[in-house]
């Protein structure tokens, strides 16, 4: 997707690189895309229909040269959440930039302070991914506790008739689940887990008056009172490596860690050693410190579930996200109020 | 497990085969085991401590000869649920039999009519597996909708860095889920699915007055009003191949089937052709018509989750099941009331 251009979009592309005469559509507003995220790839035609997409990723030029030549007037950038980083240095190369549109919820890849200093607005996709991410958290938890992904591999390799019994799993009901970060996702996750008979408690920056779950003032305290720890906070400088040796040690030998937040919230090297040495019982991860690279020590372990950052990724949520991205861009280019602005004051 | 005998249990075994002098423990009641199920394997020591276990599975004799020589006085049999069948023919070879103790919930492997005619009581493990089976149903559903087992395989084979994006999944929220069989498991499953924002309706032998979900009088009607069909009824002659061509056709091209009931409830050959030909969107199965054999046409499909009959299998549920099995045996041998008798009038 997004690599093969049809003749119509080729026309835009030709024009947008400034190498040919203006074509119909030349009065569409510029939208800079450094690297196509999945949202862009899935909906490229929709973006091309409404914007002159400046496809930095298709240019043979080095990025700085590309930006100097083609993006000096770009007022808006669409950025995907996994690899592209919106740094202060990058912003220096985009003197006309006024809007950063993230294609997901997390904005840890964007230097918000630098945006604030420049008066650049930032939008995310609001809450559209939180239901699906909460669902996925439950899927990962059942996956690791009931060994579901390993069971599927066991059947597919034809091992069942010969090997006979596949190992027993662990029961969800009655387990103490500690939620790290009781925001949109954490709250939805807690509601689901209650239906399974899990006992939910949480840690968050502050105690939530509206939550009826037990609050623990530190993550170590939460971990020491939990059978399962589920990370669903956002990544900030305060949460980087929040899940460290002390937390994993408090979680203990029979504990299970699930991460649906961001990879760097967990000290991955320490987690790998805890798993390899059997110092916790298992883990299920959707996110990693250095995506798309996953520590290869994990590949052979039966007590882990490894997912390629798919927590939020359903067809339906992508449709909803597109509406919000387009809504923010429409609002910006028509001088209306952005629908899901992110505070840059943190 | 269960194959290597330690000296102590060897003593029992020697005695039980009737080839040596009586040993201490010889006054323990006989318990016949044709083939060890997982419950027996996990808890063999507990059984050996309370019973003279007649291990037909360890004898070099053909079963009929073994039974004739060693089991004519056996009043109780423990039977596992997957392979052993308690047929009228088998009962003819066990003239003293008064109790069949199943190690699980389902009793479709037991000829209940033949037991009734002989006045043989049957027990199962009651409701101890229904929570875990309902959990597993959700795990299978998220597994197939969010492609979780394939995602895990994708990461483990190191494909993420090179392949880039893994396909999008499907959202649970708002989906219409039809539950086939609103019994213990179906009811618990419905409660969980509501927490995910699914719209639950059901088919059952009769409309349940206590259920607030929409009732559909036939499975075809249920399927035609469902995005997802989850089979969790028991297997009887009436439910054999209940999920047939008509039902799958009504479920349709975007429909998903989950089976946590019993394999033969689904016409497996037809299901495989629907999956291979893309006439339904996906399936997740814990059970199969001819376990442990799974149709190999399914092994290469990305839109299926294949599990080796693990729905009920957690360490905690096995502990609970052991208590019930032992409770029934204790009750029987002390002439008390069985704790989880199964009606043999069906």
């Amino acid at each position: 997707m997004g690599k093969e251009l049809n003749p119509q979009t080729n026309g835009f592309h030709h024009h947008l690189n400034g190498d040919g005469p203006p074509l119909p559509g030349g009065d569409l507003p510029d939208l800079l895309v450094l690297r196509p995220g999945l949202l862009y790839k899935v909906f490229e035609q929709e973006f091309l229909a409404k914007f002159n997409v400046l496809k930095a990723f298709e240019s043979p030029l080095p990025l700085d040269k590309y930006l100097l030549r083609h993006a000096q007037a770009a007022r808006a950038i669409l950025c995907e959440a996994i690899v592209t980083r919106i740094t202060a240095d990058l912003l220096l190369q985009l003197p006309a930039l006024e809007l950063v549109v993230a294609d997901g919820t997390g904005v840890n890849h964007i230097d918000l302070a630098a945006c604030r200093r420049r008066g650049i607005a930032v939008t995310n996709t609001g809450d559209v991914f939180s239901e699906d991410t909460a669902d996925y958290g439950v899927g990962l938890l059942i996956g690791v506790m009931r060994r579901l992904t390993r069971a599927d591999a066991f059947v597919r390799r034809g091992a069942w008739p010969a090997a006979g019994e596949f190992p027993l799993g662990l029961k969800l009901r009655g387990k103490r689940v500690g939620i790290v970060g009781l925001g949109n996702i954490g709250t939805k996750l807690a509601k689901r887990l209650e239906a399974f008979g899990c006992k939910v408690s949480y840690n968050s920056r502050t105690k939530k008056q509206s939550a009826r779950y037990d609050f623990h003032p530190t993550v170590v305290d939460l971990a020491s009172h939990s059978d399962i720890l589920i990370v669903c906070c956002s990544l900030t400088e305060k949460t980087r490596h929040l899940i460290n040796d002390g937390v994993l040690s408090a979680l203990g030998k029979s504990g299970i860690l699930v991460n649906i937040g961001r990879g760097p919230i967990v000290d991955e090297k320490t987690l790998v050693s805890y798993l390899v040495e059997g110092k916790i019982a298992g883990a299920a991860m959707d996110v990693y410190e250095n995506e798309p690279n996953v520590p290869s020590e994990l590949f052979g372990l039966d007590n882990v579930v490894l997912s390629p950052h798919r927590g939020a990724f359903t067809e339906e949520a992508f449709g909803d996200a597109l509406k919000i991205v387009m809504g923010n861009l429409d609002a910006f280019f028509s001088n209306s109020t952005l629908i899901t602005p992110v505070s840059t004051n943190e």
Side-chain angles (χ1 to χ4, degrees), chain A:
Chain A
M1 281 180 292
K3 295 289 177 189
E4 294 284 313
L5 292 172
N6 64 35
Q8 186 190 357
T9 58
N10 219 348
F12 281 109
H13 180 237
H14 186 65
H15 163 67
L16 293 167
N17 275 348
D19 303 326
L23 288 173
D27 53 352
L28 296 177
D30 286 345
L31 176 65
L32 177 61
V33 177
L34 301 186
R35 181 181 178 276
L38 190 52
L39 187 80
Y40 178 81
K41 289 182 191 172
V42 170
F43 297 112
E44 181 166 46
Q45 295 311 314
E46 282 80 355
F47 286 104
L48 293 175
K50 299 193 67 168
F51 302 101
N52 290 328
V53 178
L54 305 177
K55 300 181 185 179
F57 57 94
E58 285 192 345
S59 171
L61 295 174
L63 181 60
D64 55 349
K65 295 240 163 39
Y66 177 87
L67 296 179
L68 194 61
R69 186 163 167 195
H70 300 293
Q72 293 303 294
R75 297 173 62 207
I77 185 170
L78 170 69
C79 69
E80 52 79 39
I82 298 183
V83 173
T84 308
R85 307 198 73 78
I86 306 293
T87 63
D89 278 352
L90 178 74
L91 296 180
L92 285 177
Q93 302 173 66
L94 296 167
L97 198 69
E98 295 172 56
L99 177 68
V100 176
V101 176
D103 72 357
T105 307
V107 290
N108 56 287
H109 56 304
I110 300 169
D111 186 336
L112 296 177
C115 289
R116 183 178 65 242
R117 288 192 298 272
R118 276 273 303 276
I120 295 170
V122 177
T123 62
N124 68 358
T125 51
D127 197 23
V128 295
F129 291 120
S130 62
E131 295 277 357
D132 291 336
T133 306
D135 291 354
Y136 208 69
V138 176
L140 287 173
L141 179 60
I142 299 177
V144 64
M145 294 194 69
R146 304 299 300 275
R147 302 170 178 269
L148 186 55
T149 62
R150 304 312 293 150
D152 180 78
F154 173 84
V155 173
R156 282 176 192 263
R157 70 172 179 265
W160 191 10
E165 301 292 354
F166 185 80
L168 292 176
L170 295 169
K171 195 184 194 76
L172 267 78
R173 185 174 190 81
K175 292 292 185 299
R176 299 167 304 162
V177 182
I179 293 183
V180 181
L182 197 70
N184 279 332
I185 294 170
T187 303
K188 292 183 169 77
L189 182 60
K191 181 188 154 203
R192 285 155 176 73
L193 292 171
E194 285 188 287
F196 290 84
C198 295
K199 296 169 191 158
V200 173
S201 61
Y202 73 103
N203 167 258
S204 213
R205 275 169 297 187
T206 54
K207 190 172 188 319
K208 311 266 178 185
Q209 295 311 318
S210 59
R212 53 203 162 64
Y213 311 111
D214 283 347
F215 171 74
H216 292 270
T218 68
V219 181
V220 169
D221 189 51
L222 180 68
S224 67
H225 290 88
S226 296
D227 304 303
I228 295 152
L229 208 59
I230 306 187
V231 178
C232 39
C233 58
S234 56
L235 175 63
T236 67
E237 279 319 307
K238 284 173 190 156
T239 64
R240 187 174 297 272
H241 282 205
L242 181 68
I243 309 300
N244 55 20
D245 187 74
V247 172
L248 293 174
S249 171
L251 185 59
K253 211 172 159 59
S254 62
I256 285 173
L257 181 76
V258 177
N259 189 2
I260 51 171
R262 283 287 182 269
I265 300 168
V266 176
D267 176 351
E268 191 168 272
K269 204 175 153 188
T270 299
L271 173 63
V272 168
S273 79
Y274 266 75
L275 286 165
V276 168
E277 295 165 23
K279 290 161 73 181
I280 63 171
M285 284 155 279
D286 187 40
V287 288
Y288 308 86
E289 279 209 72
N290 185 27
E291 297 172 12
N293 299 298
V294 177
S296 58
E297 299 94 316
L298 301 176
F299 292 174
L301 299 184
D302 277 334
N303 58 340
V304 299
V305 175
L306 305 173
S307 163
H309 202 144
R310 293 290 103 168
F313 284 18
T314 67
E315 293 178 10
E316 294 88 344
F318 264 56
D320 293 341
L322 177 72
K323 282 181 206 154
I324 292 197
V325 163
M326 289 296 193
N328 280 309
L329 287 166
D330 287 346
F332 172 74
F333 285 115
S334 63
N335 298 312
S336 304
T337 309
L338 295 172
I339 53 177
T340 53
V342 172
S343 167
T344 54
N345 289 320
E346 178 164 315

